[in-house]
Amino acid sequence: MYDCQEDRYTDFNTAPQIATPALRGKLTARALGSAHKPRLTELAAYATERQLDISLQQGTLNIDDLTLTEALNINARFGNELIISCHLRCDPPAHFA
């Protein structure tokens, strides 16, 4: 706000604003068939390059603690050959008035 009597601006908030908590969660991927199993390995390498936590058990790849953006990128890149399921949450949970 501008104070015309003092000829200066006042009431500036210089503290950084708190960002909205990001959605984070777990993604699970399985191959559509045996022909697409190499894509599961490619996804594991892709996630490892991005320093995401992965685990591969019985033909299912789990990726933990990824963001919404990462999940969307994975789905766009691997969604045609893999069955992808993702559960994301906001921590702390969003409150609605």
Side-chain angles (χ1 to χ4, degrees):
M1 171 191 305
Y2 182 73
D3 182 353
C4 62
Q5 290 180 347
E6 298 291 324
D7 192 30
R8 65 185 176 101
Y9 288 97
T10 59
D11 295 325
F12 278 101
N13 184 2
T14 58
Q17 294 192 7
I18 298 171
T20 304
L23 292 173
R24 298 191 77 83
K26 180 178 180 176
L27 181 138
T28 303
R30 293 179 309 161
L32 281 171
S34 59
H36 296 289
K37 284 191 179 183
R39 292 295 281 168
L40 204 57
T41 305
E42 290 176 31
L43 174 54
Y46 178 85
T48 302
E49 287 173 8
R50 280 144 187 82
Q51 300 177 352
L52 298 171
D53 297 326
I54 65 166
S55 65
L56 183 60
Q57 298 173 355
Q58 300 174 341
T60 300
L61 178 67
N62 295 311
I63 304 173
D64 294 322
D65 196 35
L66 78 162
T67 64
L68 173 62
T69 303
E70 292 164 336
L72 291 173
N73 288 336
I74 288 170
N75 189 59
R77 185 169 178 171
F78 299 96
N80 291 333
E81 297 91 7
L82 301 175
I83 299 169
I84 295 176
S85 174
C86 192
H87 180 78
L88 303 172
R89 296 188 63 138
C90 180
D91 189 27
H95 295 284
F96 299 97

